[in-house]
Amino acid sequence: MSTPNLLYSDVEDDLRASVRGLLTDRGGPPAVLTRVESAEPYDLKLWRTLSAELGVAGLHVPENLGGQGASARETALVMEELGRGLAPVPFLGSAVLATSALLGADTSAEPVAALLRGLASGEAIGTLLVPLSTGVGSGFTPSVRVEENVLTGTVRTVADATVADVFVVPATGPDGTGLYEVSATGPGVTVAEVVPLDLTRRIADVTLDAATATLLVGPADAQGALDRALLTGAGLLASEQLGVAQWCLDETVAYVKQRYQFGRPVGSFQALKHRLADVWLALVAARAAARYAADRLASENETDTETGIAVALAQSYCADVAVHAAEECVQLHGGIGMTWEHPAHLYLKRAKADQLALGTPGTHRGNLAGLIDLPG
């Protein structure tokens, strides 16, 4: 087993500063709070700036395919910052899930390369047409059928579908399984947004009624490409959960320092110190787990057993840490109550939604037990 590198490099620190600075300039969580209730809950102007100026849309796409040639470590760093800022941009659907599925395919094929270039530049927004709750190792479901490159079926709760230009669709048919490209605005495609728990990452039901499709990945490689996308998505989601937890801790510590009760800051009370210390300890362990997963996903053997262990470990732990940190954030802001005007509730909802995304902690613990031969 190789020794993981859990530290941030100088390049990653510079990238973090750039992303955080841009999000701060755009108003941070208070601006997100205003946007989620508007007619445009996604900030596509911010997404275009992130893509054009910082190149985050194609961060781990090879340079010859229009990307930045970085690794999953840098992508994880961006996930962490976007989670910390709760940025309403389609990074998970487009830059992680759809892009990772395509990178698991034959990238020398022109349809795959062309779509990758579009996603990497940010000119096109894509997403993988699977329910957001789909866990690592899930096989192809019969919900979408293909007959002569025409797709029919419905997929529910797809992340970032409402702003996607193109879908990467897992489908089954007489010739076996495959991944297909479908235009989100093409004939026979209906996108119906559903009421989300997480207001900053929208979900939608997508119905394909004889929608014309282009084959991207054939039966020989389709399952591998889908597995890679789900594994990468779950592993990088741990970094987003880390960012959510970090914001909750930072914001709560700042609050209990400045709110007074009985003539002293409430943060000086021992009971609150212990609760915040517990969150900090959990966050330190979560950072190690998330960085381990990112480091393994950046390796050449990103689908090996060790990577599977790292991802299962990170997701089974970081999901619960993010929820715990968000719950403590809401409770320790007790003096202001549970108000709609404070962004704390957005973080709690993101943490709870992430806890169900790409496999629950229980599912990942089950996967981990199998990978390390834990006796039942």
Side-chain angles (χ1 to χ4, degrees):
M1 181 179 291
S2 59
T3 302
N5 178 10
L6 307 185
L7 302 178
Y8 296 103
S9 67
D10 292 340
V11 172
E12 290 169 329
D13 286 337
D14 291 342
L15 180 59
R16 179 196 302 280
S18 298
V19 175
R20 185 176 297 185
L22 178 58
L23 298 183
T24 302
D25 290 343
R26 295 306 176 93
V32 175
L33 191 62
T34 302
R35 175 171 289 279
V36 294
E37 292 191 281
S38 71
E40 297 181 1
Y42 277 90
D43 191 345
L44 296 185
K45 187 176 180 181
L46 171 62
W47 174 245
R48 286 190 286 273
T49 303
L50 284 166
S51 302
E53 296 185 7
L54 302 184
V56 304
L59 209 51
H60 65 296
V61 175
E63 292 182 78
N64 65 339
L65 293 170
Q68 304 302 313
S71 73
R73 287 177 57 92
E74 288 78 13
T75 307
L77 189 284
V78 174
M79 284 285 283
E80 187 180 327
E81 284 305 306
L82 295 181
R84 188 178 185 279
L86 218 55
V89 294
F91 189 81
L92 177 65
S94 190
V96 176
L97 293 175
T99 297
S100 297
L102 295 174
L103 289 174
D106 177 9
T107 56
S108 63
E110 184 52 31
V112 175
L115 184 52
L116 266 177
R117 291 191 187 94
L119 297 180
S121 67
E123 295 176 359
I125 297 173
T127 193
L128 183 66
L129 208 69
V130 297
L132 183 56
S133 59
T134 305
V136 175
S138 298
F140 277 68
T141 66
S143 58
V144 179
R145 297 284 301 174
V146 55
E147 296 278 353
E148 298 181 350
N149 286 343
V150 172
L151 302 186
T152 301
T154 299
V155 182
R156 302 192 184 283
T157 66
V158 180
D160 299 331
T162 53
V163 292
D165 302 303
V166 62
F167 299 127
V168 177
V169 188
T172 58
D175 298 328
T177 57
L179 296 184
Y180 294 82
E181 175 185 351
V182 175
S183 170
T185 56
V189 180
T190 304
V191 180
E193 185 172 285
V194 298
V195 177
L197 171 64
D198 177 9
L199 299 174
T200 58
R201 175 174 289 142
R202 300 299 173 117
I203 54 177
D205 297 340
V206 180
T207 299
L208 307 175
D209 183 8
T212 303
T214 301
L215 179 64
L216 296 171
V217 188
D221 299 322
Q223 186 64 60
L226 180 60
D227 288 345
R228 173 177 176 146
L230 295 174
L231 185 72
T232 303
L236 297 183
L237 190 64
S239 289
E240 178 179 290
Q241 291 158 338
L242 174 64
V244 168
Q246 185 69 65
W247 183 91
C248 291
L249 178 62
D250 293 345
E251 190 74 7
T252 307
V253 169
Y255 176 76
V256 299
K257 283 181 177 177
Q258 57 88 27
R259 181 171 177 82
Y260 277 67
Q261 194 70 273
F262 307 116
R264 53 189 286 197
V266 297
S268 64
F269 294 108
Q270 195 74 353
L272 299 193
K273 288 181 180 178
H274 285 175
R275 289 175 66 169
L276 289 170
D278 287 343
V279 173
W280 181 81
L281 284 172
L283 201 150
V284 169
R287 187 179 304 282
R291 295 300 296 168
Y292 177 35
D295 189 68
R296 286 306 312 165
L297 288 168
S299 70
E300 294 183 358
N301 300 314
E302 71 257 13
T303 57
D304 63 4
T305 301
E306 188 181 345
T307 304
I309 292 172
V311 170
L313 179 66
Q315 259 307 307
S316 61
Y317 188 72
C318 294
D320 290 341
V321 169
V323 171
H324 176 60
E327 289 175 340
E328 290 292 72
C329 177
V330 170
Q331 290 186 21
L332 297 182
H333 278 76
I336 64 170
M338 178 62 178
T339 70
W340 198 256
E341 290 75 19
H342 194 281
H345 70 90
L346 294 180
Y347 283 85
L348 178 58
K349 291 166 183 170
R350 169 64 71 88
K352 289 297 292 183
D354 277 2
Q355 195 178 36
L356 304 176
L358 301 172
T360 64
T363 300
H364 286 287
R365 280 191 282 272
N367 293 343
L368 180 61
L371 289 169
I372 61 176
D373 296 327
L374 190 69

